[in-house]
Amino acid sequence: MKTIKKIGYLTLGLASLYIAYITGTGDILNYINFTDPLGEMALCICAIMLSIMSFVSALSSEKVPCSKELDWEWYNESI
């Protein structure tokens, strides 16, 4: 993966962590009016999950082992 994509994933992860932080502390209520605390909690959990997935994508290695049989199987299904 190119380094520019990795930097993009890192910034996305940091931004979503910041959103999760301000949601958890209640500062986001200055910007968004939630009708229910469950919506606020769901936004916080989704932001944390997005940050975890972004950091995993940014910090993973470029080489993923895959078998040749699966490559041929996916190729044959796409025809």
Side-chain angles (χ1 to χ4, degrees):
M1 188 182 314
K2 297 194 182 242
T3 57
I4 195 75
K5 276 189 174 182
K6 288 189 176 199
I7 291 172
Y9 286 134
L10 281 174
T11 55
L12 178 64
L14 289 174
S16 60
L17 266 183
Y18 177 70
I19 290 173
Y21 174 74
I22 65 172
T23 305
T25 59
D27 291 339
I28 201 165
L29 293 175
N30 297 331
Y31 309 105
I32 300 173
N33 294 324
F34 290 101
T35 58
D36 192 23
L38 289 176
E40 190 176 355
M41 186 176 69
L43 177 67
C44 185
I45 290 171
C46 288
I48 290 171
M49 294 288 288
L50 179 64
S51 67
I52 289 171
M53 289 186 285
S54 296
F55 287 139
V56 166
S57 298
L59 301 175
S60 65
S61 66
E62 295 178 8
K63 296 181 181 179
V64 177
C66 186
S67 67
K68 296 290 182 185
E69 293 86 17
L70 283 177
D71 286 342
W72 280 109
E73 194 174 310
W74 292 334
Y75 177 75
N76 291 334
E77 286 179 2
S78 64
I79 294 178

